[in-house]
Amino acid sequence: MLVRFWGTRGSLPVAARAATIERKVARALVAAGGRTFADEDEALAYIAAESDFAAARTYGGATTCVEIEGGDGSFVICDMGSGLRELGVDAFARCAAGKPREFHFFLSHLHWDHIMGFPFFGPAFDPNARIVIHAGHADAEEALRRQQEEISFPVPFDGLRAAIEFRTLVPDHTYEIGGLKVRTIPQYHSHTSYAYRFEDGDKAVCFSTDAEHRVDDMDNERLFEAFFRDADLCICDTMYSLAESVTMKADWGHSSNIVAVDLCQAAGARRLALFHHEPTYSDEDIERMHRETIRFEELNRGERPKLEVLCAYDGLEVAL
């Protein structure tokens, strides 16, 4: 399996301001200490080897969209955030090279940051494409149609040319979709959110965003530990710090890096991807959370196997 991250922010898309890029360039020049480079490739190699991620790169600003390669070769896509537009551009090239024009979407929920990319998804205008939208919500079609009503968008949903169908999934049932085994469970979030587990042979990926884990509901924690059990990668909502998630942002429907580590360690998962980054966080803020999470994992591990902690960014690929 191969997991591609096309959008990793939560709530709304963000773009780097000019001043942010200027600071990154200035820091890179200072760090180089007068060193010269023969060409751009040599300079890029230096940046990759010598600099912190936040110093010369960015975690990106597109909202939630994750692609999972595996199964029968169909496109398997979690959520339709603004990152979906770029995925659609890339999909045209891969379909031209022979990849099937079949797209299976799995929606965590229907809030705008998780569906706003669909009106800009190029393959939806392809009459030779087939799109199946899977959700735990029976009103998924209503939500997607509503965001393309004339008052909000110039192209109506019925103007799309792909063959589009909607399927409502039932929690705790195992489905065979796109050559993968798929299960879903509900999560605490406004209008309910759903986590997904995808299995391809002996590999498993869990996608769990917009999920609040409450300290007074241990039954729910045990449910998620079982759902994450032995997963090769868990993509988890880590929008807030633990302090934020249990105080001023309690009941906002999101979780923390600390809770994600606890759940993944208890489940015996192999990798955790920090995900759904707070839109007000800078690259430095996200990188700091990543470092702190790695340290917490080390202190909290005990005799358990190491949990590798990744920090998702737009463009990250994880091979399993």
Side-chain angles (χ1 to χ4, degrees), residues 238 242 256-266 272 274 288-302 304-307 309:
T238 57
L242 179 62
S256 73
N257 55 332
I258 301 304
V259 170
V261 169
D262 280 340
L263 288 174
C264 288
Q265 285 181 328
L272 161 66
L274 310 182
R288 187 181 309 112
M289 176 181 278
H290 187 199
R291 289 196 302 266
E292 292 172 352
T293 309
I294 291 172
R295 181 57 176 157
F296 175 77
E297 190 282 329
E298 293 171 348
L299 295 172
N300 200 53
R301 186 186 309 156
R304 292 173 291 203
K306 177 181 178 181
L307 170 69
V309 179

Side-chain angles (χ1 to χ4, degrees), residues 42 71 104 119 295:
E42 187 176 322
H104 290 280
R295 181 57 176 157

